[in-house]
Amino acid sequence: MKRFVLKGTIIYCKSKEELAAVDGGYAVCEDGICRGVFETLPERYQSFTLKDYGSCLIIPGMTDLHVHAPQYTVCGYAMDLELMDWLNAYIFPEEAKYHDLSYAKTSYQVFVQDLVHSPTTRLCAFGTLHTEGTLELMRQLEEAGFTGYVGKVSMDRNSPNTLRETDGAEALKGWLSQCNFKHIRPILTPRFIPACSDRLMAEIGELQAQTHLPLQSHLSENPIEIAFVKELCPDADFYGDAYDRFGTFGTNGSTIMAHCVYSDEAEIARMKENNVYVAHCAESNFNLSSGIAPVRRFLDAGLHMGLGTDIGAGTSVSMFRSVKEAIIASKMYWRLIDSRQKPLQFSEAFYLATRGGGSFFGKAGSFEDGFDFDAVVIDDRKIRTPLPKDPVNRLERVIYADDCRTVIDKYIQGRQVICG
Amino acid sequence: MKRFVLKGTIIYCKSKEELAAVDGGYAVCEDGICRGVFETLPERYQSFTLKDYGSCLIIPGMTDLHVHAPQYTVCGYAMDLELMDWLNAYIFPEEAKYHDLSYAKTSYQVFVQDLVHSPTTRLCAFGTLHTEGTLELMRQLEEAGFTGYVGKVSMDRNSPNTLRETDGAEALKGWLSQCNFKHIRPILTPRFIPACSDRLMAEIGELQAQTHLPLQSHLSENPIEIAFVKELCPDADFYGDAYDRFGTFGTNGSTIMAHCVYSDEAEIARMKENNVYVAHCAESNFNLSSGIAPVRRFLDAGLHMGLGTDIGAGTSVSMFRSVKEAIIASKMYWRLIDSRQKPLQFSEAFYLATRGGGSFFGKAGSFEDGFDFDAVVIDDRKIRTPLPKDPVNRLERVIYADDCRTVIDKYIQGRQVICG
């Protein structure tokens, strides 16, 4: 099915402020590319296969811009520590288990199966240090129909011996040579400054300069972490500058930095200059007591931004939850930190989850002509109300209910994934 | 089935700090009363009917200490306003519809059916101003097997004409005379100071002094509301004092005050003195941008406290969500407001949802000998993980997943309610 039309109640973002909603609309897919949404199906598309979803909602696919697939095994456990202690007590010991390929296989199966039933169509995921395990994750995601980036994690200090490489650059090259997937592509993934020696970070910077591969890492998440980075890199002007000195802060290729809870004006300015993406992970920042990221300031500064579940500090693969928590976090930022920073409107948070994160892939996250055809079909009849059914209110309700059971079908670059 | 034993992995609070967990334990019910939890079933209970739930979790029932049943129709909609504007724009017009008994019937059916599939066994609910509609809610909750209090809302000012009574005391007495239910009992429910004239509040105070009925209302939720109360009651020392002057702040009977986000030392001291219960509604306080209640200070002051979903400013009947959001809120309070106020531990939040709120009913919310037998049976096999299954970690995971599908059976004072 390469040319088809979906019929339903279609909602998508035209801009951060503008949601388009078409009851009984037609979304046209031609060879994986969206040809737009129409109230009446144009003559030229009437020969396409029509899939009528009745009164279901059809929204663009959501991009999870920051997710640690191997941590899905521990998510929802032991949320009593802050970042650095939590990594040492729970996360590093868990990730070390992924040297065992059969453990990786079983664990990633659960993650990928649950992801299928979520509104996520694209993702930027961390694997672990292990080449074989990470390739296994990529294979499973590819087979399930997803599009995305997956990174073998690079780390060589301040972690247990079981999670420390002696030649991280060599390991990276070995992994890259085996990344032969169509829709799941590799992304450079230095864990974060505390876990990467200067040598390793410099090698990754060089590799990115040669290959122009994208890169993902963490930035300014927690005060203790930030103090540690200052200690490790006393010459850096700020956390982001510690990356930038190695060329791993957007100058050599597209780059995502997760969290940015404590990014100040200088860091924000550098991110803008270097086109760095923010992956805003509100639930994770709540659960690890990190704080709240200044998303309104990021928007005002014109930064690229999307949302991440940040499994396993986030506790669900559901991007519905990420949208809800992003709104809540922005309200608390306004109330408790800075009343000049207006909370996110629903349309803005929905934008971040679809078009905001999707733009990391080029044209993704909307139904405008020329965008990749990523769609999520939602049957919200289980969420009952006697109220009149305004499309946007229906969508808002699904998202606040955080109910992935409503997701019945997905399309990723036109490839159908059955969820219901 | 009046004498029975449930077998499973049993978890309950002995105190705020101490969770008891018994794998393959037996919880004994005799005529609606719990006779304790045992690792080996004592001889004297071996004639009781045994219901073996295998590896399922069995926890005490949860009490929703603050919920507006009629607002379930709008929950998850239009979360862009603060309290007073939100009431006027969305809530009052919606509640006005409940003068139509058939609308009330249909709407309450959805609420009660969803509540059946939740971990809630007891509740303190607001109806609307309308006698017939509120009686309908009580009837439906009674028939579904719940135990709880329901209040016909009293209000006579600062609301639309359609939601304003001329003789609130008379209306209250008329309603009370028709409250002939066994497990669902009436509770006095002045909406809040802004919506109740001095005369009405004084009449309710007198009625409570005569009848010793319990009472529920709202307190110190939002800065604009608090300023309005100051304007309406210039002589009151603080918001709670405005109630206390009418005897509606715990002196004449058990009293629940929802929110208490901005309660200061004087208000906390008065609540302690008057035995007032706090219904902490973290998600609602997030959604309406109200702020975060100082729950650690409430605990340190020895206040009675439970959790509320506060439908419709809260967006789910799931008390799992209320537990999760209470923990998150306390972390943000610690991080953003006062680092001396330690976040809630998981056991503390679980305590608040079970034993904390349950104590409003006497002995409820635990499995110790002499407590009412309220139990929730959770089949968490859908939440898959390769990790070893520690009982408390399993429970934590269910709660963070906020997955009511795991609730398969409930018992309320020994009455079985099928959920699965």
Side-chain angles (χ1 to χ4, degrees), chain A residues 16 27 78-79 99 105 118 135 137 169 197 202 210 222 244 280 302 311 315 320 334 353 358 389 397 409:
Chain A
K16 275 196 291 291
M79 290 295 176
H99 80 272
K105 250 185 198 159
S118 82
L135 289 167
L137 171 62
S197 67
Q210 292 157 21
N222 174 286
D244 211 10
H280 175 48
I311 295 292
T315 58
F320 292 152
W334 169 79
K389 309 253 185 208
R397 196 158 171 119
D409 265 340

Side-chain angles (χ1 to χ4, degrees), chain A residues 217-231:
Chain A
S217 194
H218 300 90
L219 182 70
S220 299
E221 177 177 0
N222 174 286
I224 297 166
E225 169 215 20
I226 294 166
F228 191 31
V229 169
K230 210 169 182 65
E231 200 179 293

Side-chain angles (χ1 to χ4, degrees), chain B residues 16-331:
Chain B
K16 276 196 290 289
E17 293 76 25
E18 197 188 349
L19 273 178
V22 184
D23 246 328
Y26 300 87
V28 177
C29 177
E30 188 173 32
D31 300 326
I33 305 297
C34 187
R35 289 293 157 224
V37 170
F38 306 92
E39 290 187 24
T40 312
L41 190 62
E43 177 72 32
R44 64 188 178 283
Y45 301 126
Q46 294 196 350
S47 62
F48 287 24
T49 309
L50 179 73
K51 175 104 192 179
D52 189 343
Y53 283 107
S55 64
C56 286
L57 297 173
I58 302 176
I59 62 169
M62 290 182 165
T63 291
D64 188 344
L65 210 55
H66 184 68
V67 52
H68 292 266
Q71 297 175 18
Y72 196 52
T73 47
V74 295
C75 89
Y77 280 12
M79 290 294 178
D80 52 335
L81 298 177
E82 282 191 73
L83 176 65
M84 301 304 286
D85 289 341
W86 177 75
L87 288 173
N88 288 316
Y90 306 117
I91 296 303
F92 290 157
E94 179 61 20
E95 288 196 12
K97 295 182 192 165
Y98 286 74
H99 80 271
D100 173 356
L101 186 58
S102 80
Y103 187 80
K105 249 184 200 163
T106 318
S107 301
Y108 285 142
Q109 263 164 14
V110 175
F111 171 72
V112 173
Q113 284 166 12
D114 284 1
L115 198 67
V116 163
H117 297 281
S118 83
T120 297
T121 51
R122 291 170 190 249
L123 70 167
C124 295
F126 280 54
T128 60
L129 176 98
H130 314 93
T131 299
E132 284 309 316
T134 303
L135 288 167
E136 173 64 25
L137 171 61
M138 297 175 88
R139 192 172 302 119
Q140 288 192 23
L141 286 167
E142 172 99 356
E143 280 168 11
F146 289 97
T147 289
Y149 292 107
V150 170
K152 182 203 111 50
V153 176
S154 297
M155 55 196 298
D156 69 350
R157 66 173 175 184
N158 296 315
S159 54
N161 287 335
T162 46
L163 271 191
R164 206 185 281 202
E165 342 180 70
T166 45
D167 192 340
E170 213 43 51
L172 212 46
K173 286 173 196 164
W175 166 65
L176 286 171
S177 71
Q178 296 174 72
C179 290
N180 302 313
F181 306 100
K182 198 167 169 195
H183 307 295
I184 300 295
R185 285 166 292 167
I187 182 167
L188 299 171
T189 306
R191 183 164 210 123
F192 64 160
I193 295 280
C196 299
S197 67
D198 288 2
R199 183 189 142 199
L200 177 58
M201 200 62 91
E203 288 170 341
I204 293 171
E206 282 162 31
L207 192 59
Q208 196 185 26
Q210 292 157 19
T211 59
H212 296 288
L213 283 169
L215 182 146
Q216 60 184 353
S217 195
H218 300 89
L219 183 69
S220 298
E221 178 177 359
N222 174 285
I224 296 166
E225 169 215 20
I226 294 167
F228 190 30
V229 169
K230 213 172 180 62
E231 200 179 293
L232 292 166
C233 311
D235 297 334
D237 296 334
F238 44 85
Y239 194 155
D241 186 51
Y243 288 109
D244 210 10
R245 286 168 181 237
F246 298 109
T248 55
F249 201 63
T251 41
N252 287 320
S254 307
T255 292
I256 301 167
M257 287 286 157
H259 306 305
C260 311
V261 174
Y262 293 95
S263 296
D264 60 10
E265 288 310 320
E267 192 159 89
I268 292 172
R270 187 77 60 84
M271 293 171 83
K272 173 67 184 166
E273 202 181 315
N274 291 9
N275 272 313
V276 170
Y277 270 72
V278 176
H280 175 48
C281 308
E283 196 209 345
S284 160
N285 301 153
F286 283 150
N287 284 331
L288 297 184
S289 300
S290 302
I292 302 178
V295 291
R296 176 61 64 198
R297 287 166 62 206
F298 297 154
L299 289 174
D300 288 347
L303 295 193
H304 300 294
M305 180 162 41
L307 305 182
T309 59
D310 194 25
I311 296 295
T315 57
S316 168
V317 291
S318 166
M319 288 290 295
F320 292 152
R321 184 176 292 190
S322 300
V323 171
K324 170 181 176 289
E325 301 290 344
I327 295 170
I328 283 177
S330 71
K331 287 175 175 174

